Amino acid sequence: MKRFVLLDTAAIPGNGGALCLFEYGDDFVIKIQGGNGNQLMNTRTHGSEDALAEIPCKRVAARPQVRVLIGGLGMGFTLASALRQLDQDAEVLVAELVPGVIEWNRGALGAKSGHPLNDPRAQVLNQDVAELLQNQPRGFDAIMLDVDNGPEGLTQKSNSWLYSLEGLKACASALRPAGLLAVWSASADRAFSEKLAKAGFKAEEVQVFAHGNRGTRHTIWIAEKRKR
């Protein structure tokens, strides 16, 4: 019988909490320490994490010297998906707040996504994505956010700014003309769609299966920066 085996614990900076990495049979699972036992993510169901990068990166791939930003390294699947879509002259920055998550991806966990951090096009920064994008005006062709559980599923209050009107406007400022913002969420949120429009985006809401073609669906907003 499979059981959860705790491999490591990583402190969340400025939060007081921690993330826990478990082995579960052939898979890995990340949970919040002391939480309700729910899985934040696992290596078995990552279809929506793949789509978070696949959809926007396909649309910008033909641009010269594409530069994209991923907020949240997670288990590396979004990064791996972005690299599959982009040419060799592309640059993919990843902002990850938790140092332990970066180390996990450099180890055995990284094998599940094909060790994308070893790709020379990828650069991971131990930094809050909110800080990074505010210092990069018109710096990116696409920004992909997989931070927390989405706009309405926050487990860390400090992430609320990123999904506020001010935060979304900062994302727009960090995008090049006709740049794309992709936002992952565990569930749909009509109010967030309206907020994207107010921030200067033309947005569409896409429902994606978490695994295969059945079961749980997650929401991804694909929002194009409008011309001013």
Side-chain angles (χ1 to χ4, degrees), residues 102-181:
I102 298 173
E103 293 307 309
W104 295 344
N105 276 272
R106 294 196 189 281
L109 173 60
K112 292 294 186 178
S113 57
H115 285 295
L117 289 179
N118 292 341
D119 192 301
R121 295 171 293 169
Q123 180 184 5
V124 62
L125 302 174
N126 181 204
Q127 186 176 354
D128 189 332
V129 66
E131 296 177 0
L132 193 153
L133 63 84
Q134 290 181 83
N135 295 319
Q136 299 270 352
R138 292 197 170 196
F140 303 101
D141 294 286
I143 297 172
M144 292 146 274
L145 298 179
D146 185 5
V147 177
D148 224 310
N149 282 322
E152 291 300 314
L154 298 175
T155 59
Q156 187 167 343
K157 291 182 179 179
S158 61
N159 289 327
S160 61
W161 179 87
L162 192 59
Y163 298 114
S164 70
L165 183 58
E166 183 183 1
L168 294 175
K169 286 182 177 179
C171 289
S173 296
L175 285 168
R176 293 169 177 170
L180 296 175
L181 172 66

Side-chain angles (χ1 to χ4, degrees), residues 81-92:
S81 179
L83 292 168
R84 285 194 295 270
Q85 304 302 324
L86 300 175
D87 289 338
Q88 292 304 308
D89 64 348
E91 181 182 0
V92 183

